Amino acid sequence: MAKDKTVFVCQNCGYISPKWAGKCSNCNSWNSFIEEIRYSEPKGLHSKSEAKPGNAIKISEIRKQQLSRIELPYSEFNRVLGGGLVPGSLVLLGGEPGIGKSTLVLQTVLNLDKRKVLYVSGEESENQIKLRAERIGINNENCFIYTETNIEKIIATIKSLEPEIIVIDSVQTVASADLTSSPGTVSQIRECTRILQEHAKEFDVPVILIGHINKDGDIAGPMSLEHIVDAVFQFEGDNNHYYRLLRPKKNRFGSTYEIGVFEMLNHGLKEITDPGNILLTGDNSGLSGVAYGTIGEGTRTLMIEIQTLIGNAVYSSPQRTSTGFDGRRFQMLLAVIEKKLGLNLSQKDAFVNIAGGIKVSDTAADLPVLASVISSYYDKPIPENTCFIGELGLSGQVRPVSFIDKRVGEARRLGFNNVFISSAQKSELNKNIAGIISVSDVKEFASKLFRPTN
Ligand code: TYD
Ligand code: MG
């Protein structure tokens, strides 16, 4: 009989240590070690002496099989999956509590036509799920609900029911009776995922795993889970706002570039196939400190609204606060404006906010931030229907950004008649597009801002 031993497993990264430690030497997280019992495996068929050589094939001789995909009822979901669910694959859907993960998956499987689905819930009762289905307003004879957390029972049920799609809500609640550690620990999550994966591959069914994320935005539990599964999606948005973004972090069967956009309504989620202006708040004419820009999300362009307030400093050291925009980049932009335009910002408090609760990392948002700072400083509104697309360099030059034609096209489609861009990019655009204002540096930008001229 093999001897069992006690080990300490980091709940953040899965690192195993023979002794307890306050800090994980692998991922540097504190207080993450939990004691677990490891059953040492008996030496089986695959011990060194008995292993037979395997069959390696030349890549040119492998016959490519066409991936069959299960198309889901929402084009926004299919878009991020790369065309639909691939049978035999494991898909992990992460997101903060209450963001709408269960709603998205339940609504999707309820809308599927003639496909047997097993929805396993370890979090909610049958009654709660029924109430949600009623709220969404769909009934489906082929959708089976099973409230269970024991993975062995779940597998037995899968074998007898033979569903075509399996949903596990959530991976942190399921546990194997063969392990002593409690549900949600690294060993349990890993083991249950491994068992489900084996099953998914053997029976060629897709499994959707729902996972919680921790405060750092990672799927709670082991980071290694993200390596095991075929695709990882994050469902994100702001609880105060109605829109939700489905963003791929990893996808073995499609690109990680696309996003899916949904709207949370009282009766479930609605997909938004034309999301260009969902982040805008409405009429801001006559208000200073408000500017519009664009961000590229996959093959689509979203318009963003930037609100800035520059006021006299309340304390001896002025405050700089940014919401949705990188704080350090904001400081950098303020420093460039101060140096190149001579605005006295060192005695001012500066606040910037991206409307709609979205986090922006696209550098094309530099120019609208710059515009909103100047507008607020002089308390002078920016002319209506104006949009800004460009990155700012440290020496004050306005630099080119990617996909300029797409961004300009979307801005003009949504009624922005004046579009500021970097003069280095003017030649990339069709000469017949009117309303393009090209600027090469901050000084030229400031001189044209309130009087847009070509
Ligand atoms: P839920 O899917 O339970 O979130 P998660 O599984 O990510 O924890 O969604 C919960 C929230 O969504 C809840 O606050 C209520 C809201 N909601 C709606 O606004 N409309 C609806 O139709 C449904 C079903 C939920
Ligand atoms: Mg849920």
Side-chain angles (χ1 to χ4, degrees):
M1 175 75 192
K3 213 172 141 210
D4 304 338
K5 63 174 181 181
T6 300
V7 292
F8 294 86
V9 184
C10 170
Q11 299 302 301
N12 188 41
C13 67
Y15 178 73
I16 297 171
S17 159
K19 279 195 258 165
W20 187 85
K23 185 182 176 188
C24 172
S25 59
N26 187 41
C27 69
N28 292 332
S29 60
W30 286 92
N31 265 338
S32 58
F33 280 101
I34 283 194
E35 184 176 2
E36 291 182 13
I37 295 173
R38 277 287 140 107
Y39 301 101
S40 35
E41 284 180 21
K43 277 199 173 172
L45 284 174
H46 299 292
S47 66
K48 272 185 203 159
S49 54
E50 288 174 44
K52 294 198 182 89
N55 201 7
I57 313 174
K58 282 186 196 161
I59 192 163
S60 57
E61 286 170 11
I62 299 175
R63 264 206 244 128
K64 199 179 114 196
Q65 286 177 341
Q66 205 59 37
L67 274 183
S68 66
R69 291 182 188 258
I70 300 176
E71 211 174 297
L72 299 177
Y74 295 108
S75 60
E76 290 297 292
F77 209 159
N78 286 326
R79 166 203 289 274
V80 289
L81 281 165
L85 271 181
V86 176
S89 69
L90 247 67
V91 173
L92 179 61
L93 175 67
E96 284 175 20
I99 205 72
K101 304 178 293 296
S102 306
T103 307
L104 174 68
V105 177
L106 183 67
Q107 189 172 340
T108 304
V109 296
L110 284 177
N111 270 305
L112 271 174
D113 207 18
K114 295 190 192 112
R115 287 210 188 254
K116 204 193 261 184
V117 178
L118 179 64
Y119 187 105
V120 181
S121 179
E123 302 208 329
E124 289 161 307
S125 67
E126 287 152 13
N127 205 33
Q128 280 172 306
I129 299 170
K130 176 77 182 170
L131 283 175
R132 179 177 292 129
E134 273 177 359
R135 190 167 173 188
I136 297 168
I138 317 163
N139 209 352
N140 188 330
E141 288 302 309
N142 292 312
C143 183
F144 292 79
I145 305 294
Y146 182 40
T147 52
E148 181 54 65
T149 55
N150 179 298
I151 193 73
E152 284 80 21
K153 279 194 192 168
I154 294 172
I155 294 294
T157 313
I158 292 172
K159 281 185 179 156
S160 80
L161 192 71
E162 297 184 349
E164 288 166 88
I165 295 179
I166 301 162
V167 178
I168 307 287
D169 186 1
S170 67
V171 68
Q172 274 95 357
T173 56
V174 288
S176 164
D178 292 342
L179 298 180
T180 50
S181 43
S182 43
T185 52
V186 175
S187 338
Q188 285 287 12
I189 294 180
R190 231 190 236 173
E191 178 64 5
C192 293
T193 309
R194 192 193 58 74
I195 295 174
L196 283 164
Q197 188 176 37
E198 242 174 54
H199 202 81
K201 298 270 178 285
E202 187 182 342
F203 293 90
D204 216 19
V205 279
V207 180
I208 301 176
L209 301 166
I210 294 177
H212 299 169
I213 62 169
N214 57 25
K215 57 182 185 313
D216 300 326
D218 295 318
I219 308 279
M223 286 191 275
S224 53
L225 188 61
E226 298 187 8
H227 299 292
I228 305 173
V229 298
D230 298 296
V232 181
F233 300 109
Q234 201 93 302
F235 203 39
E236 45 182 62
D238 191 316
N239 269 330
N240 301 322
H241 297 92
Y242 58 84
Y243 72 87
R244 301 280 182 270
L245 303 182
L246 186 60
R247 201 188 282 280
K249 275 178 90 181
K250 159 182 175 176
N251 191 356
R252 284 187 182 147
F253 307 110
S255 94
T256 51
Y257 194 53
E258 292 292 348
I259 57 159
V261 186
F262 294 86
E263 185 180 4
M264 182 60 97
L265 301 173
N266 250 336
H267 52 277
L269 288 154
K270 182 177 154 231
E271 57 181 346
I272 306 178
T273 43
D274 180 15
N277 58 1
I278 54 162
L279 298 171
L280 307 186
T281 58
D283 187 13
N284 287 311
S285 48
L287 299 180
S288 65
V290 179
Y292 299 98
T294 63
I295 48 168
E297 287 285 0
T299 50
R300 297 198 284 206
T301 298
L302 303 186
M303 302 302 299
I304 49 166
E305 178 182 318
I306 288 156
Q307 302 157 355
T308 297
L309 178 68
I310 307 287
N312 288 331
V314 182
Y315 304 109
S316 54
S317 59
Q319 294 182 67
R320 267 91 180 91
T321 309
S322 59
T323 312
F325 189 77
D326 182 59
R328 287 190 195 181
R329 198 156 185 98
F330 186 47
Q331 302 249 27
M332 183 204 98
L333 294 182
L334 294 176
V336 173
I337 297 169
E338 176 142 22
K339 172 125 182 149
K340 297 290 170 187
L341 296 179
L343 304 194
N344 182 15
L345 292 168
S346 57
Q347 302 302 316
K348 305 274 186 190
D349 285 343
F351 307 92
V352 65
N353 175 38
I354 312 285
I358 196 165
K359 286 191 184 64
V360 170
S361 56
D362 191 334
T363 51
D366 287 356
L367 210 54
V369 170
L370 181 69
S372 67
V373 170
I374 298 172
S375 162
S376 178
Y377 184 89
Y378 291 115
D379 199 14
K380 203 169 167 187
I382 291 167
E384 275 177 48
N385 301 329
T386 306
C387 166
F388 305 91
I389 308 169
E391 185 183 321
L392 198 65
L394 279 179
S395 48
Q397 74 278 37
V398 178
R399 304 181 46 164
V401 296
S402 57
F403 303 116
I404 188 71
D405 44 351
K406 237 179 215 159
R407 295 178 195 255
V408 170
E410 186 66 2
R412 293 197 54 89
R413 186 179 76 85
L414 294 168
F416 292 91
N417 298 329
N418 297 317
V419 184
F420 280 78
I421 63 163
S422 159
S423 48
Q425 266 184 314
K426 198 163 185 213
S427 58
E428 290 176 38
L429 291 177
N430 186 335
K431 287 200 175 59
N432 296 328
I433 304 177
I436 300 295
I437 303 131
S438 60
V439 287
S440 58
D441 59 25
V442 186
K443 278 209 178 110
E444 189 184 0
F445 178 67
S447 71
K448 291 182 174 177
L449 178 60
F450 300 110
R451 282 178 296 109
T453 44
N454 299 353

